[in-house]
Amino acid sequence: MATPAHPGKRIPALDALRGLAVVGIVGMNVHAFALPAPAYYNPLSYGATGPWDYWVWLASFVFIEDKFRTLFAMLFGTGCLILLEKGGARPWRAHYARMIVLFAFGLLHATLLASNDVLRAYALAGLALPLLAGLSARALLAVALGLVTMHFGLGLTAFGSAMVDLHMQRWGTDAMLFAERNFGSDPAAIAALIEQGREGLADRIVRRSLGIPAQLTTLLASLPLNLAAMALGMGLWKAGMLKGEWRTFRLQRLAGLSALAALPVLLVLAGWLVQTGFPAALVGPVALVLSAPFDMLLGVSYAALAMAFFVPEGRITRALAATGRLSLTNYLMTSVILSAIFASWGLGLFGTLTRSQAFAIGLVPVAAMLLWSPWWVARFGQGPFERLWRAAARRLA
């Protein structure tokens, strides 16, 4: 069992859990850098040439996709709550200053490097966290459940037309064309995305800058699910689970029950996609809507297992804890490394690798952060971007 929290002391298991989340996110982020966007969810879109590629897709869908993003968002909510509970002068103003600076980081990150940046979404969802900070653990869990239900309803409304058209075999409708462009394997759309992915840095900056208004729509659509994960993290902190106050058996029971509820459904959804041949009208709602509650449950299972088995003196715990203390820096530096490998201003490998090869390349930033983080923490404590974030927010507040 993790060491219980004491005022002013870090919880190694919680830092290690944050490090695990940063490491796990790489497993999906590498596909966003290496392959055209529809292939992120659909292996038939691009990059699948052999059995290994489909096994990588299956493992990613069941165990990685949105599980570690959920975990990262949970811990973001926990971190914000810890700072709000510490109080100090004008805690709300300090919190909003941190969110403004984080949004600026995310905007630069999305424009220069990563189209799938999460910092902007976290900053926007984080604006609501002070309103939730005074709620009890049970109330926070209820808020999380309500927000997941909202995401589920809004998602089915957004994707429902395409699913109906697929069932009725109505091809060529606007909903079907939208699904095919974003989740399918339309040759013209894939060719355009391959060309776009090989653009120069200056062209990317112009394109992404002009697309900022359109990006806000996607960010707003992600708010209920991101805020649900943050509220869940806050609730688990107040319940004592993320403070390291639960006994090992209780943590194991939560992990087992959550996994038992999530894994069969995720496997059924994966089987449904395979059996139907990954139709674009089905890939989107399965990946973004139908799997969402079960992704969150599996994220809770991972968190419970980590709090049960990460011990302060363990070598793995220490390495992951250092990685977690530099979570913002490591998240951004992962994008720098992957851009250096896949972007045209780096090695230019975008669109040249299979899904399994790209997944293996993801081990490069993982190894880098696990190696450099303990060294940096031992010498400097705080990460460079964490330090910049705090300093900029302090000035703004």
Side-chain angles (χ1 to χ4, degrees):
M1 185 176 68
T3 304
H6 297 284
K9 286 190 175 182
R10 302 195 71 93
I11 305 172
L14 188 60
D15 284 332
L17 180 57
R18 189 175 289 109
L20 179 65
V22 177
V23 167
I25 285 174
V26 178
M28 287 306 297
N29 275 3
V30 66
H31 299 309
F33 283 86
L35 304 171
Y40 186 89
Y41 299 110
N42 188 345
L44 295 188
S45 291
Y46 194 85
T49 61
W52 277 109
D53 300 305
Y54 293 99
W55 282 113
V56 166
W57 168 81
L58 179 62
S60 298
F61 176 80
V62 175
F63 297 106
I64 300 176
E65 184 183 318
D66 278 344
K67 286 72 177 175
F68 290 98
R69 180 207 57 78
T70 294
L71 191 55
F72 203 32
M74 285 169 53
L75 295 170
F76 180 85
T78 301
C80 289
L81 178 60
I82 291 171
L83 291 175
L84 287 167
E85 286 181 341
K86 286 182 178 179
R90 300 176 297 186
W92 280 42
R93 183 167 177 175
H95 172 81
Y96 287 125
R98 288 193 294 271
M99 295 305 100
I100 291 170
V101 174
L102 186 66
F103 187 86
F105 280 0
L107 199 58
L108 287 172
H109 181 227
T111 302
L112 297 173
L113 299 173
S115 301
N116 64 330
D117 165 78
V118 299
L119 301 181
R120 298 163 300 164
Y122 287 8
L124 290 176
L127 296 176
L129 297 186
L131 303 176
L132 304 179
L135 298 179
S136 67
R138 183 170 295 183
L140 285 165
L141 297 180
V143 168
L145 179 61
L147 288 167
V148 170
T149 303
M150 180 188 298
H151 171 82
F152 201 82
L154 293 174
L156 288 181
T157 300
F159 288 106
S161 296
M163 295 178 70
V164 171
D165 290 341
L166 174 67
H167 179 70
M168 300 297 294
Q169 296 188 346
R170 292 198 294 253
W171 318 113
T173 64
D174 289 343
M176 291 290 280
L177 290 173
F178 173 83
E180 191 63 38
R181 283 194 301 269
N182 289 276
F183 307 104
S185 53
D186 176 67
I190 295 296
L193 289 169
I194 290 290
E195 183 178 357
Q196 178 180 290
R198 295 171 179 169
E199 67 190 348
L201 179 58
D203 291 334
R204 176 190 168 85
I205 291 173
V206 171
R207 177 178 61 83
R208 292 291 294 174
S209 298
L210 293 175
I212 288 174
Q215 296 164 28
L216 289 176
T217 302
T218 303
L219 293 175
L220 292 174
S222 73
L223 287 183
L225 194 58
N226 280 313
L227 189 54
M230 292 174 193
L232 178 59
M234 296 167 74
L236 292 175
W237 171 262
K238 289 201 170 188
M241 193 269 266
L242 293 178
K243 294 179 181 179
E245 295 176 351
W246 285 19
R247 293 185 178 275
T248 301
F249 173 76
R250 189 179 182 189
L251 292 166
Q252 291 174 322
R253 184 175 60 183
L254 175 61
L257 291 174
S258 298
L260 189 62
L263 287 175
V265 179
L266 292 170
L267 287 168
V268 167
L269 290 174
W272 189 20
L273 290 177
V274 172
Q275 184 181 21
T276 54
F278 293 91
L282 190 58
V283 170
V286 166
L288 298 176
V289 182
L290 300 180
S291 66
F294 309 99
D295 294 336
M296 191 165 292
L297 277 173
L298 201 54
V300 170
S301 181
Y302 292 167
L305 286 174
M307 297 304 295
F309 295 111
F310 283 160
V311 293
E313 63 274 12
R315 182 177 298 179
I316 294 175
T317 301
R318 292 199 304 269
L320 286 174
T323 303
R325 290 184 64 176
L326 274 60
S327 57
L328 176 59
T329 295
N330 280 323
Y331 175 71
L332 296 174
M333 291 307 297
T334 294
S335 295
V336 172
I337 293 172
L338 293 179
S339 293
I341 295 171
F342 294 107
S344 64
W345 55 91
L347 297 178
L349 295 184
F350 177 81
T352 65
L353 303 181
T354 66
R355 191 178 199 90
S356 56
Q357 290 170 339
F359 187 81
I361 290 291
L363 295 175
V364 174
V366 169
M369 68 175 81
L370 289 174
L371 287 171
W372 92 284
S373 297
W375 178 88
W376 184 278
V377 168
R379 286 159 180 78
F380 305 104
Q382 200 172 35
F385 281 98
E386 283 79 6
R387 192 179 302 276
L388 179 60
W389 184 16
R390 177 172 293 185
R394 189 180 296 118
R395 284 182 173 272
L396 190 61

